[in-house]
Amino acid sequence: MVIKKIGVLAAVSALAFTVVTGCSDKTNSSESASSSSAAPNQGASPKAEDIVDIEVWGTNIGYKPTTKGSKLYEFYKEKLGVGVISPYVEWNGGTAYLNTLNLKIASGELPDLFLPQQGLENTLAKNGAIADLTDLLPKYAPNLWEAIPKDMWDIVKANDPTGQGRIYYIPGMVDYGRYSGMIRKDWLDKLGLQMPKTQDEYVKVLEAFRDKDPNGNGQKDELPAGGRQEARWMDQLFAMYGVAMFEGYPDWDLYDGKLTYSAVSPNMKSALEFISKMYKDGLIDKESLLNDKAKWDGKVAANKVGNYFHWAEQTNLYLDNLQKNSGVKGAFASLPLPEVQGYKGFYTWKRFTPPAWVVKNNKDQKKLMATLKLLNNMYDKKNWNALYLGVEGMHYTMKDGKAVKLPDDKSTQENLILDPYSKISTLDFTSNLLKTTSSEDRMWEIDQTVQIMQDAQKYAKVIAGDGMPASVYEGFPDINNRTLYIEYASKIITGQYPISKFDEFVDKWNKSGGEEVTKRAREWYAKVKK
């Protein structure tokens, strides 16, 4: 990581003067906003002179920025009554974004509304740099307040790093299992293979993908399975062993009845041993630990990958890119989680997603109230279809009286950063959005996507560590960043280390802070389960 040590602490220390002079009381955002007469206007469209611009940062995987006067800026202004400026910040799995955000903080600035990363919100809250939302949200953003169940707000309060039971971040919520291993059903059909149900059957399928030219180009270039840097996005290979993994991040679940970090569980050892054998046998991409998102997605789109892991609801994008890049009208299906004797497999379902938004503790009351107004209007479900569709001509078009999403085009489309439908997600709403905004000629993609989403629910499980605050890692940044895990997992997978080295990893992990982090995690679990 470029700024690994600037991280949260050094970056926030640069904010110290701003925090002390401009945000001296951590709760004064609530008080001063409550005394302000500039409550969010939820009625008629505001006059141009009443529009307040705010800066919003979040995920952008290559789309154009939103600048003042741009088409998306005008769209947000009309629909939500607030001007939204959103610069392009490289994402790259969140690492590049966090580095850039840290630089922004170190310069003494914060976006008005932004996505925090890796527990950044905890240090910012303790330093008074982000707003205490406890009283602000019910009064000024009731749509958002009511959209999150009370039990989830209670956990957010329990996670308050100041120990005061206050709310400093807006959680994301997913009411269904979002992830699945995707397998090329058309390759199975071409080779006369059945959908694998056990691990042995799965291995035989991957061997056929490797050896029998299912993409039909006469070359042995198929990649049966694979993933990305840091042993990420190959969760299907860990999941069959009951390893709690979230987009390649080891997570917390109950092992032998105790809350335990999955990276140090016996289940992880068995999974790594299996994956190492797959790597040796050429059943996973040899570049898996080198692939960034663009490179791995490019291989899927190039008609080379037989099995990959991702959000089920984005299958249509992968199908679209596959057809666009290789001319192949593919067929994906949800891979039934291969059964392994002695293990109960699952895909990790976290009802809590990482914090979705934090709000700058803004002394400019107009900016603060505009941010709350944006949140309230953004989380009004009447606006969700429009926010999903975006700008006509850029993100969607009208066809036979129906709004139809246009194909993904990062060279022309501004980033739809305000996406409450993915921050508070339900299976029915997401499925309906996909069905009602797709053209007839792309319904084949949507049909596959919705079917995979439904099938994925069979294997989804909410893990015990759902909602755990990043503060359990405080003082142990290398454990939070998975430094030791990445080193050992990568070397075991590639054969540089024998599997016996796993026990050395567990010992080092515990001695380097793992024991303390586990103690904190179990104390948190006992508190929220009372």
Side-chain angles (χ1 to χ4, degrees):
M1 185 178 288
V2 177
I3 331 175
K4 184 176 179 182
K5 295 302 177 186
I6 220 178
V8 176
L9 296 176
V12 172
S13 68
L15 261 182
F17 179 76
T18 304
V19 170
V20 171
T21 59
C23 312
S24 58
D25 183 347
K26 294 176 189 175
T27 63
N28 62 4
S29 287
S30 298
E31 295 165 1
S32 54
S34 297
S35 63
S36 170
S37 59
N41 176 11
Q42 301 172 42
S45 299
K47 298 177 182 178
E49 60 268 25
D50 295 331
I51 293 294
V52 177
D53 291 343
I54 65 170
E55 187 172 345
V56 181
W57 282 33
T59 306
N60 188 336
I61 55 173
Y63 298 94
K64 296 178 68 176
T66 300
T67 56
K68 190 174 181 67
S70 70
K71 290 182 178 179
L72 188 55
Y73 172 92
E74 295 297 331
F75 168 79
Y76 284 148
K77 184 175 74 172
E78 177 187 349
K79 293 293 181 184
L80 305 175
V82 177
V84 174
I85 307 292
S86 184
Y88 175 73
V89 180
E90 184 181 357
W91 183 249
N92 193 22
T95 301
Y97 172 87
L98 179 59
N99 290 343
T100 308
L101 182 59
N102 276 331
L103 286 174
K104 181 84 169 175
I105 295 168
S107 69
E109 300 177 0
L110 274 166
D112 299 296
L113 179 69
F114 62 97
L115 165 73
Q117 280 280 289
Q118 295 187 19
L120 180 66
E121 67 280 358
N122 293 319
T123 306
L124 293 175
K126 285 192 283 189
N127 283 275
I130 54 177
D132 176 351
L133 301 172
T134 317
D135 302 319
L136 295 177
L137 293 181
K139 185 170 185 179
Y140 296 108
N143 290 323
L144 167 56
W145 180 252
E146 293 165 9
I148 304 289
K150 181 182 181 299
D151 66 302
M152 292 186 69
W153 284 126
D154 288 343
I155 291 178
V156 174
K157 290 177 181 178
N159 292 349
D160 174 11
T162 72
Q164 302 301 307
R166 310 296 288 178
I167 293 171
Y168 284 97
Y169 68 83
I170 297 159
M173 181 182 75
V174 180
D175 260 355
Y176 60 97
R178 175 166 267 169
Y179 298 91
S180 179
M182 260 65 73
I183 192 165
R184 287 292 296 270
K185 179 68 166 56
D186 50 344
W187 285 14
L188 290 174
D189 293 344
K190 182 176 180 180
L191 300 179
L193 299 171
Q194 297 297 311
M195 185 70 73
K197 295 181 180 178
T198 68
Q199 186 182 79
D200 288 343
E201 291 173 355
Y202 174 65
V203 169
K204 288 177 182 177
V205 162
L206 295 189
E207 288 172 344
F209 285 175
R210 179 192 64 194
D211 300 331
K212 296 186 177 180
D213 192 29
N215 68 12
N217 66 358
Q219 301 176 41
K220 196 171 183 179
D221 59 353
E222 286 83 359
L223 306 170
R228 285 159 46 182
Q229 296 161 323
E230 303 179 349
R232 293 189 61 204
W233 293 102
M234 54 176 80
D235 295 29
Q236 78 276 23
L237 306 180
F238 296 89
M240 63 183 81
Y241 286 92
V243 176
M245 295 287 276
F246 189 75
E247 299 181 357
Y249 295 97
D251 218 302
W252 296 78
D253 200 24
L254 298 179
Y255 295 93
D256 293 327
K258 295 181 179 179
L259 190 69
T260 301
Y261 187 49
S262 68
V264 297
S265 67
N267 305 57
M268 175 64 81
K269 183 176 183 178
S270 297
L272 288 174
E273 185 174 22
F274 170 66
I275 297 168
S276 178
K277 185 176 188 310
M278 289 184 67
Y279 184 91
K280 181 180 178 182
D281 294 343
L283 298 182
I284 63 174
D285 180 15
K286 293 291 186 182
E287 295 182 330
S288 287
L289 301 179
L290 301 174
N291 293 327
D292 60 13
K293 175 176 173 55
K295 191 171 184 180
W296 178 236
D297 285 357
K299 291 176 179 180
V300 178
N303 197 29
K304 292 183 177 180
V305 178
N307 174 218
Y308 75 99
F309 177 85
H310 212 270
W311 289 25
E313 63 210 58
Q314 291 188 354
T315 303
N316 60 311
L317 301 180
Y318 281 85
L319 286 165
D320 192 62
N321 287 331
L322 174 64
Q323 187 174 41
K324 187 186 299 181
N325 285 275
S326 64
V328 173
K329 190 173 182 179
F332 289 123
S334 180
L335 173 71
L337 202 54
E339 297 172 3
V340 183
Q341 188 172 1
Y343 296 91
K344 185 171 179 57
F346 63 88
Y347 288 131
T348 296
W349 172 8
K350 294 177 76 169
R351 193 170 172 226
F352 275 88
T353 66
W357 302 109
V358 292
V359 175
K360 178 181 179 180
N361 192 2
N362 211 322
K363 289 302 175 179
D364 182 336
Q365 286 300 291
K366 287 187 176 180
K367 290 269 191 180
L368 179 60
M369 297 310 294
T371 305
L372 293 167
K373 177 179 181 178
L374 179 69
L375 287 169
N376 189 58
N377 292 339
M378 178 178 24
Y379 281 85
D380 183 343
K381 288 189 177 180
K382 295 194 296 290
N383 291 324
W384 285 15
N385 276 336
L387 291 173
Y388 176 78
L389 287 169
V391 176
E392 184 175 1
M394 178 186 290
H395 302 106
Y396 78 96
T397 189
M398 296 301 297
K399 188 172 183 179
D400 299 326
K402 178 183 177 182
V404 175
K405 288 286 277 188
L406 290 168
D408 207 36
D409 188 348
K410 294 172 183 175
S411 68
T412 62
Q413 293 171 346
E414 294 179 49
N415 189 39
L416 290 170
I417 196 168
L418 304 182
D419 54 349
Y421 44 83
S422 66
K423 301 292 193 293
I424 299 180
S425 303
T426 66
L427 184 61
D428 288 345
F429 188 87
T430 305
S431 300
N432 187 60
L433 270 182
L434 290 168
K435 289 177 180 177
T436 58
T437 58
S438 179
S439 61
E440 287 301 319
D441 62 333
R442 295 192 179 278
M443 281 305 297
W444 65 278
E445 298 174 350
I446 301 303
D447 288 342
Q448 287 189 45
T449 302
V450 172
Q451 186 63 56
I452 289 172
M453 291 169 66
Q454 292 171 347
D455 291 343
Q457 304 316 304
K458 302 171 188 174
Y459 312 105
K461 187 190 89 167
V462 176
I463 58 172
D466 187 28
M468 181 186 294
S471 58
V472 299
Y473 298 106
E474 190 169 323
F476 302 101
D478 285 346
I479 288 184
N480 190 26
N481 294 331
R482 314 173 328 285
T483 305
L484 203 62
Y485 165 76
I486 292 168
E487 176 192 346
Y488 276 80
S490 299
K491 289 182 177 179
I492 289 172
I493 289 171
T494 57
Q496 296 175 65
Y497 280 173
I499 191 61
S500 59
K501 279 276 194 176
F502 181 83
D503 298 329
E504 178 182 285
F505 154 67
V506 174
D507 184 59
K508 283 186 176 181
W509 186 86
N510 280 314
K511 290 177 178 177
S512 63
E515 286 183 353
E516 175 61 25
V517 170
T518 300
K519 177 175 175 287
R520 295 175 187 175
R522 290 175 177 172
E523 287 173 350
W524 167 85
Y525 186 69
K527 180 171 63 173
V528 299
K529 292 301 174 184
K530 281 183 179 179

